[in-house]
Amino acid sequence: MEYLIGIQGPDYVLVAADTVAATSIIQMKHDHDKMFKMSEKILLLCVGEPGDTVQFAEYIQKNVQLYKMRNGYELSPTAAANFTRRNLADYLRSRTPYHVNLLLAGYDDHEGPALYYMDYLAALAKTPFAAHGYGAFLTLSILDRYYKPGITREEAVDLLKQCLEELKKRFILNLTSFNARFIDKEGIHEVDNIPLAKVES
Amino acid sequence: MALASVLRAELAEFSPNFPKNFPKNFPKNFPEDFPDDSEGIPEILRDPPGPPRVLAAPPWGFEAEPEGPGLQILHGTTTLAFKTPHGVTVAVDSRATAGSYIASQSVRKVLPISGRMLGTMAGGAADCAFWQRLVARQCRVQELRNKEPVSVAAASKLLANLVYQYKGLGLSLGTMLCGWDKRGPGLYYVDSEGQRVAGAAFAVGSGSSYAYGVLDRGLAAAARSEEAACELARRAIAQAAHRDAYSGGCVRVMHVGPDGWREVSHHDIAELQDKYLE
C-alpha cells in the first residue's frame, strides 16, 4: 500500500514517499510525512506496521541525536544505517520485532551521497536506487532501464516522475500524493514540482 | 523534562513485562512443557499434538484481533470529530453491542481528559475508559508541574506510547483526542495498533465509512458557523446509524472551543431519522 523510492546521483540523493496514512479501506490522512530527519544530512523513510514505524524511527532519530550530543560530531550515513540495521536484527527474534521497511539516505562530507535499503528482516544493502512497497514491483524495472551513474538532478526528477506516472497508470490503488526531498552537501531540500502532489483537503 | 519524569515515576506499577491478565501458572519453559489437559475433550476437537507453535513475529493486521471471551466491545460504534475555525466539533452515537445483542442504547462515548480536551471511545469500552482516565491523570499532573495546560499533541503521544507497550496483547482502542491548546484546535487519532495521526477530520468505528461520506461532502459548508458544524456532525452520525446495524441510540454533539468543552445537544437517533428521511 505504501511506497518509497530513492535515487542516488553523483552528489545528491533524491527520495520520495507517498503521503497516505490508511487503515483498511479508509484514507485517514492524505498529507502524512513518512520521512524522519536523523540529522542535517540524513533522512530515514519508514513504512510498515502502524505504530512500529513511528516508534522505531523516533528511537533511531533520538539515538543519532544523542550520539551527536555525547561525541560532538554526527554519525555518518553508513554508521547510522548499520546502527539501524543492528537494532532491527536485535529485535527480530524477540517478543516485539519491528515490522518496518526503511530507506536511509544521506550525504557524507567525505564519502559523498549514500542510499541504504533495509527491510523488516534486517537486511541492509547500499544501492544506487531502491524502492519499497507494491509499487516497487512496477517501478524497479524503470529504474533499471533508465538509471545511469552520472544522472543529473533534472534527470533524476524526470525518472521519479516516470515512476509515479507508471503507478498512476498501473497500480490498482490510487496514490494521489507524494512528497520528495533532495539531500546534498547543503542539507535537505524539498522538491516542489512532483505531479499529483496538490490535493485539496 | 517534566513529561519524562511523569512517565518514569508513575508507571512502575504498569510495567509492560507483567500485564495484569497474565496467567499465574504460566509454565516457565513455554513452549516445551505446555500442560496437556485435553483428556476430557473428544479426539476430533483436540488441538494438534505438540507444543503450541510460537511465531517468530507476533501476528499483526487482521490476525492480531484475538477472539476473546464475551467482552462488551464497542467496535460497533460511530464517532467523529472535525476541526473548524471555531474549535473542534465531536459527535458520537451511544449504542453498545455484544454480538447481535444490543447491550445498551445510552453509553457515554465521550470522555473528558481535561477542561479543554475530550477523548472519544471506540473499541473496548474498558480499554478506552481506563487508559484515557490514566492519561487524564497524567495530563493533570503535568499541568500542575508546568503551570501550563497540556497540549493535544502531548496528550495523544502519552496515550500512543502507553498503548504501544501492549501492542499485540489484545487491547482494542480507537480514539480521537480533541482539544484546544495554545496552537489552536487540535485533533489526533490514536489506536491500539500504535497509530497516531493528526488531521482535520476523522471518523472511527464500524459506521465510520458511512460517516466519512456525509462528513467529507459537507465539511466546506460547515466551516461557516458553529451551528452548521454541529448540524453536520449530527447528520453524519444519524446517517451512519441508519446504515450500520451496530450504531444507534442517541447522538451526542460536543464542542471544544478556546474556553473549554461543552455539550451542545443530545438527540434520539430514531427521532432524528424520522425528521431527516421523510
Side-chain angles (χ1 to χ4, degrees):
Chain A
M1 311 293 177
E2 300 174 292
Y3 180 68
L4 299 179
I5 181 173
I7 301 172
Q8 180 218 322
D11 60 350
Y12 64 88
V13 188
L14 172 64
V15 286
D18 74 297
T19 57
V20 168
T23 308
S24 92
I25 59 165
I26 302 283
Q27 188 185 95
M28 303 220 76
K29 203 167 150 74
H30 62 268
D31 54 358
H32 186 227
D33 192 356
K34 300 182 187 178
M35 306 194 193
F36 294 84
K37 189 170 143 184
M38 297 288 114
S39 71
E40 289 307 312
K41 296 179 192 172
I42 304 181
L43 272 179
L44 183 71
L45 285 72
C46 192
V47 292
E49 189 170 344
D52 283 358
T53 49
V54 172
Q55 294 282 342
F56 184 73
E58 287 188 351
Y59 174 68
I60 302 295
Q61 189 180 46
K62 302 314 167 204
N63 272 291
V64 169
Q65 293 298 319
L66 181 62
Y67 185 94
K68 181 178 173 187
M69 281 184 229
R70 280 183 176 154
N71 301 298
Y73 61 92
E74 291 183 336
L75 272 172
S76 67
T78 310
N82 279 287
F83 171 72
T84 309
R85 189 212 82 85
R86 165 60 50 189
N87 269 292
L88 275 173
D90 285 343
Y91 278 98
L92 182 61
R93 289 195 169 84
S94 72
R95 250 181 356 101
T96 57
Y98 288 106
H99 201 290
V100 293
N101 294 313
L102 311 165
L103 285 182
L104 191 141
Y107 188 91
D108 187 25
D109 293 323
H110 307 289
E111 303 284 332
L115 176 66
Y116 288 91
Y117 168 102
M118 274 173 273
D119 73 4
Y120 71 102
L121 295 170
L124 171 70
K126 184 178 187 310
T127 58
F129 54 84
H132 271 299
Y134 285 124
F137 285 93
L138 292 163
T139 51
L140 277 173
S141 51
I142 304 178
L143 292 166
D144 283 329
R145 165 73 178 85
Y146 291 107
Y147 176 85
K148 50 190 201 301
I151 190 170
T152 67
R153 287 175 201 235
E154 292 72 30
E155 286 169 351
V157 173
D158 272 337
L159 186 49
L160 175 64
K161 284 184 183 172
Q162 293 223 46
C163 292
L164 301 186
E165 289 296 328
E166 180 63 18
L167 288 184
K168 192 159 85 156
K169 181 168 181 201
R170 288 287 182 190
F171 191 36
I172 196 178
L173 290 191
N174 186 29
L175 292 176
T176 49
S177 53
F178 298 84
N179 68 354
R181 294 195 168 109
F182 268 111
I183 307 176
D184 59 18
K185 69 176 180 351
E186 259 94 54
I188 301 173
H189 320 282
E190 290 275 344
V191 179
D192 285 326
N193 51 351
I194 294 300
L196 329 169
K198 306 280 177 284
V199 174
E200 298 308 310
S201 64
Chain B
M1 292 295 176
L3 190 63
S5 65
V6 163
L7 288 172
R8 223 183 18 250
E10 266 81 319
L11 282 187
E13 65 223 298
F14 296 115
S15 160
N17 298 319
F18 296 96
K20 294 243 162 70
N21 58 354
F22 213 69
K24 297 241 180 326
N25 54 353
F26 201 79
K28 292 251 181 313
N29 293 326
F30 180 82
E32 276 80 47
D33 52 0
F34 189 85
D36 182 31
D37 59 350
S38 52
E39 261 60 51
I41 303 172
E43 274 249 20
I44 199 159
L45 295 177
R46 282 184 207 166
D47 290 333
R53 279 160 295 150
V54 176
L55 304 173
W60 58 284
F62 283 130
E63 296 95 327
E65 312 292 314
E67 268 96 31
L71 301 167
Q72 192 183 80
I73 55 171
L74 287 177
H75 286 126
T77 190
T78 311
T79 58
L80 60 86
F82 56 93
K83 287 202 271 199
T84 62
H86 319 281
V88 187
T89 308
V90 185
V92 298
D93 75 318
S94 67
R95 178 174 288 181
T97 50
S100 58
Y101 170 66
I102 296 179
S104 170
Q105 291 272 62
S106 54
V107 179
R108 289 188 157 263
K109 296 188 187 176
V110 179
L111 304 156
I113 307 265
S114 77
R116 283 189 178 77
M117 214 184 313
L118 291 174
T120 61
M121 182 198 283
D127 288 338
C128 290
F130 177 80
W131 290 106
Q132 286 187 29
R133 197 170 151 84
L134 188 61
V135 168
R137 173 173 154 279
Q138 290 185 342
C139 287
R140 180 73 184 125
V141 170
Q142 200 189 349
E143 271 181 27
L144 289 168
R145 286 187 177 150
N146 296 9
K147 288 194 180 175
E148 190 187 51
V150 71
S151 67
V152 190
S156 61
K157 193 74 175 169
L158 273 172
L159 181 62
N161 287 342
L162 276 176
V163 296
Y164 182 72
Q165 295 180 330
Y166 291 88
K167 187 174 160 95
L169 295 176
L171 284 189
S172 170
L173 192 115
T175 179
M176 295 177 286
L177 265 82
C178 329
W180 186 287
D181 56 30
K182 64 183 181 214
R183 289 187 237 161
L187 177 58
Y188 280 82
Y189 166 74
V190 178
D191 72 16
S192 47
E193 303 286 299
Q195 191 172 32
R196 169 183 170 265
V197 282
F202 291 115
V204 181
S206 56
S208 62
S209 49
Y210 306 116
Y212 267 122
V214 175
L215 185 63
D216 285 333
R217 291 305 104 214
L219 212 48
R224 274 185 285 115
S225 72
E226 205 183 293
E227 292 75 45
C230 293
E231 180 54 29
L232 173 67
R234 201 173 300 126
R235 186 91 198 218
I237 296 280
Q239 300 277 48
H242 176 61
R243 282 287 174 184
D244 179 31
Y246 297 104
S247 301
C250 50
V251 55
R252 204 176 286 270
V253 180
M254 326 269 278
H255 183 84
V256 189
D259 308 317
W261 61 263
R262 63 174 225 282
E263 180 168 331
V264 171
S265 69
H266 176 221
H267 293 278
D268 186 84
I269 286 186
E271 286 166 15
L272 274 183
Q273 284 174 347
D274 286 338
K275 187 173 82 153
Y276 290 143
L277 301 170
E278 68 193 0

